Amino acid sequence: MQVLRRVENVFLATALGAMVLLPLAEILSRAGLRADIPGSPAILQHLSLVVTMLGATVAAREGRLLVLSNIQPILTGHPKNLARWFASSVTAAMGIVLAYCAWIFINS
């Protein structure tokens, strides 16, 4: 498990570094070579998606996800477990719907 954490962290740091270095490289290439990097905006868009997904996995792993309600820290015992189960179920349902929509989008 520790290895997977390191791999996630390395991928996240690499993607963030690429998001910083790509625009800098493009600035330098435009100034020096009078040429730009082909596909740079699309690459940055994809990197932002990668950083978002990896950042969410790291936040979930560390229990630092944003919450819409402050009720869960107040609850204890069975109600807290029930609230956690409900929130997890809604999250899973949303993930399934998004995966289904992505499948439809890819196949259209």
Side-chain angles (χ1 to χ4, degrees), residues 84-97:
R84 185 178 297 144
W85 177 85
F86 178 74
S88 298
S89 299
V90 170
T91 302
M94 290 174 63
I96 290 168
V97 168

Side-chain angles (χ1 to χ4, degrees), residues 19 39-50:
M19 285 183 71
S40 177
I43 293 169
L44 283 173
Q45 288 175 346
H46 285 87
L47 283 172
S48 67
L49 288 173
V50 169

